[in-house]
Amino acid sequence: MSRLATARALALATPVALMAGALGSQFIGGLYPCEMCHWQRWPHYAAIVLAGLSFFAPRTSAKRLLVILAGLGILTSGLIGIFLA
């Protein structure tokens, strides 16, 4: 597996797993999310879309850019947690 393929898989799997945990805690566990948690979800949603699009991008440069943007979305969510905690 190439490094780009690994990065694409991680860029998609990370926010999907985090959102599955968050939504599972909310809807199955009955834990209502705080305002910060709601703010952190938006960059993860964007990262999921961007990483998903990277699997359909025609050029390697476009795939790389989408993975970088997805990574920035994941980073943004983490920064929201740091600065609003």
Side-chain angles (χ1 to χ4, degrees):
M1 184 180 258
S2 72
R3 288 182 8 192
L4 180 57
T6 302
R8 285 189 314 177
L10 284 173
L12 183 60
T14 301
V16 165
L18 291 169
M19 287 310 304
L23 293 172
S25 295
Q26 180 180 348
F27 293 113
I28 297 170
L31 299 174
Y32 189 76
C34 66
E35 185 176 354
M36 180 186 69
C37 296
H38 278 293
W39 279 99
Q40 283 184 292
R41 290 179 184 194
W42 290 105
H44 282 304
Y45 294 142
I48 291 168
V49 170
L50 291 165
L53 288 174
S54 75
F55 285 90
F56 301 102
R59 295 186 322 267
T60 301
S61 59
K63 292 176 186 182
R64 188 174 294 123
L65 176 63
L66 289 166
V67 169
I68 290 169
L69 292 174
L72 289 174
I74 296 166
L75 176 65
T76 300
S77 180
L79 291 174
I80 290 170
I82 290 169
F83 289 117
L84 295 181

